[in-house]
Amino acid sequence: MVDEWMKISEIQSGKYTGKEVEVRGWIYRTRSSGKIVFVILRDSSGIIQIPVGKNDVGEPQFKGAKKALVESSVIARGVVREDSRAPGGFEITANYFEVVHFAEKFPITKDQSDEFLLDNRHLWLRSRELNSTFKIRSTVFKGFHDFFSERGFYEIQSPSFVTGACEGGSTLFEVKYTDEKTVYLTQSWQLYAEAMMFSLEKIYTIAPSFRAEKSRTRRHVTEFWHAEVEAAWFHNEDMMKLVEELIVYLCELILEKHLPELEVLNRDPEKLKVVTTPFERVKYRKVLDILRDKGIELEWGDDFGYVEEKALTLERDQPFFITHFPLSKGFYHRPDPEEPDSLLCHDLLAPEGYGEIVGGGERIWEPEVLMKRFEEENLDAENYSWYLDLRKYGSVPHSGFGLGLERALSWFIGSDHIKNVIPFPRTMRRTSP
Ligand code: 4AD
Ligand code: MG
């Protein structure tokens, strides 16, 4: 019978009190005392207590309820009662309790190591923490789509097999494509986006990017979901305005839809409430001074790693932009005509120690400047011939950015590790389950 059954959260809204309902889910906890089994059932929406009494459901179903272990799947019917002692404030007194499948002893119990939980990720996905995390993840993905489609951006896709680096050769994954040919997995859609931009002007995508990251930190995975944007006629500052608006939009969306999930995750909603535009913009040069004051000595040209970004953001409660990085940041960024040793680009750093979540900027659009940068960076212009072509046929100023969705999510929910926000995390050491 696939008639109507309710989500547990609907029942907890109170509108079914005194009525008979059906729920379907999995046993979250169970204990029995004499003639009653107290089952806590979970579904995707929440948990609810179901007392199963021998006299209410009859001997065979009662026996089933008594025997059923945690994670057994169940269809139950009964009348909803308000009960302030029950989790969620309601319970369903069962008059029907069918165990659809009797689960074996569930391998995950309390207090297990991170490694054990990762080995059993296929089962741990059912936890309340991951359930709440993935609901927020879903909202963030949809929020990104909505934000850009409402602003006239088209969604468009780029290939995952590529022949050249966008973000430096050291993190490229090689793929044996044919016996003769090796290609790489994409690090970013950007170079392709710049081509598509000439047709659609304002574009975005959400797609996996791949980086063979040797660094084992709480913010690196080898496969992450990359939300990227490219727009014609946009300068660096125009793009930064869009980025900060997006971040506030996502924070507000999470607050509007996910207070219960934030509670499960122990995340103080205030941390998202305080986020307001405009975000501070600080030049790289100045950041070197700030770091020096904190006892970290870096030279012009050095990149910021996890340690530096943690020091820069730990005491902040607002994200902020770093702009005007040195030329070594990347070959495609446009040098600032007013400060030729610095680039018109931006990183957005999330507060509370999280660090970089966005990398973006204005692209070089004059062919001569691009040729010069290829030379300075020792890049073979041959490998980028089609990219150079784009600068020959009606080149225009343009900018874009890439947001690491797992990085942003980690901060939004206050997670201590990026692997907590992706269903099956991939690192250099882990490719299964
Ligand atoms: O700063 P990145 O390397 O910038 C680019 O790829 C540009 N081409 C994007 C663009 O302008 N279209 O990467 C962008 C973001 C980073 O800020 C970070 O949030 C995320 O991608 N990211 C990672 N996230 C998780 N694990 C990794 N190994 C990541 N590497 C980058
Ligand atoms: Mg970056």
Side-chain angles (χ1 to χ4, degrees), residues 248-311:
V248 170
Y249 173 87
L250 293 175
C251 287
E252 285 172 356
L253 200 61
I254 293 169
L255 289 167
E256 180 194 319
K257 300 185 74 162
H258 292 298
L259 288 180
E261 285 76 22
L262 292 177
E263 196 179 327
V264 169
L265 295 165
N266 231 334
R267 176 62 163 162
D268 180 1
E270 275 305 314
K271 303 277 187 195
L272 303 184
K273 261 182 219 157
V274 297
V275 178
T276 40
T277 58
F279 299 163
E280 194 186 347
R281 286 122 166 90
V282 191
K283 288 185 178 176
Y284 173 91
R285 197 180 302 278
K286 173 89 187 304
V287 174
L288 292 185
D289 295 337
I290 299 174
L291 283 170
R292 195 165 301 120
D293 290 344
K294 294 181 184 289
I296 301 175
E297 283 287 340
L298 289 186
E299 283 177 27
W300 180 260
D302 288 344
D303 212 356
F304 304 136
Y306 178 54
V307 174
E308 290 80 27
E309 292 187 4
K310 187 171 177 185

Side-chain angles (χ1 to χ4, degrees), residues 219 304-314 347 349 355-356:
R219 60 181 200 167
F304 304 136
Y306 178 54
V307 174
E308 290 80 27
E309 292 187 4
K310 187 171 177 185
L312 288 168
T313 61
L314 200 56
D347 273 11
L349 272 59
E356 180 190 343

Side-chain angles (χ1 to χ4, degrees), residues 118-361:
L118 282 168
D119 288 340
N120 287 282
R121 188 68 162 194
H122 52 298
L123 302 175
W124 186 235
L125 295 176
R126 308 169 181 206
S127 68
R128 296 259 285 152
E129 292 88 340
L130 288 183
N131 169 283
S132 295
T133 302
F134 298 150
K135 285 177 185 164
I136 297 176
R137 185 182 165 102
S138 170
T139 293
V140 168
F141 274 58
K142 178 163 190 301
F144 187 86
H145 278 289
D146 291 348
F147 183 90
F148 282 99
S149 65
E150 280 163 16
R151 283 164 181 72
F153 284 70
Y154 294 100
E155 182 181 13
I156 183 76
Q157 292 75 31
S158 71
S160 295
F161 292 133
V162 299
T163 49
C166 178
E167 298 303 326
S170 71
T171 62
L172 276 177
F173 270 115
E174 281 190 7
V175 179
K176 189 168 173 295
Y177 196 68
T178 61
D179 283 344
E180 296 82 41
K181 191 169 182 169
T182 297
V183 297
Y184 309 104
L185 292 178
T186 184
Q187 299 166 309
S188 162
W189 84 327
Q190 184 191 319
L191 307 186
Y192 297 92
E194 290 184 57
M196 297 185 285
M197 171 213 81
F198 282 88
S199 170
L200 296 168
E201 294 194 28
K202 300 203 295 180
I203 55 178
Y204 74 93
T205 202
I206 298 185
S209 280
F210 304 88
R211 312 250 173 131
E213 298 279 2
K214 277 89 196 169
S215 34
R216 260 197 253 152
T217 71
R218 70 175 205 182
R219 60 181 200 167
H220 285 103
V221 277
T222 50
E223 176 177 7
F224 66 97
W225 282 78
H226 210 166
E228 303 194 79
V229 169
E230 200 68 34
W233 312 108
F234 273 54
H235 292 283
N236 190 39
E237 177 59 32
D238 305 320
M239 208 33 91
M240 285 195 282
K241 285 212 179 75
L242 206 55
V243 169
E244 62 190 2
E245 236 184 278
L246 167 74
I247 297 299
V248 170
Y249 173 87
L250 293 175
C251 287
E252 285 172 356
L253 200 61
I254 293 169
L255 289 167
E256 180 194 319
K257 300 185 74 162
H258 292 298
L259 288 180
E261 285 76 22
L262 292 177
E263 196 179 327
V264 169
L265 295 165
N266 231 334
R267 176 62 163 162
D268 180 1
E270 275 305 314
K271 303 277 187 195
L272 303 184
K273 261 182 219 157
V274 297
V275 178
T276 40
T277 58
F279 299 163
E280 194 186 347
R281 286 122 166 90
V282 191
K283 288 185 178 176
Y284 173 91
R285 197 180 302 278
K286 173 89 187 304
V287 174
L288 292 185
D289 295 337
I290 299 174
L291 283 170
R292 195 165 301 120
D293 290 344
K294 294 181 184 289
I296 301 175
E297 283 287 340
L298 289 186
E299 283 177 27
W300 180 260
D302 288 344
D303 212 356
F304 304 136
Y306 178 54
V307 174
E308 290 80 27
E309 292 187 4
K310 187 171 177 185
L312 288 168
T313 61
L314 200 56
E315 278 145 36
R316 289 180 187 254
D317 63 0
Q318 294 288 333
F320 76 104
F321 288 108
I322 303 178
T323 67
H324 292 81
F325 280 85
L327 298 187
S328 53
K329 177 101 174 149
F331 72 89
Y332 54 72
H333 293 295
R334 181 167 185 237
D336 187 342
E338 279 157 34
E339 291 178 47
D341 64 345
S342 309
L343 299 168
L344 289 167
C345 67
H346 59 268
D347 273 11
L348 182 71
L349 272 59
E352 302 174 62
Y354 283 92
E356 180 190 343
I357 59 173
V358 166

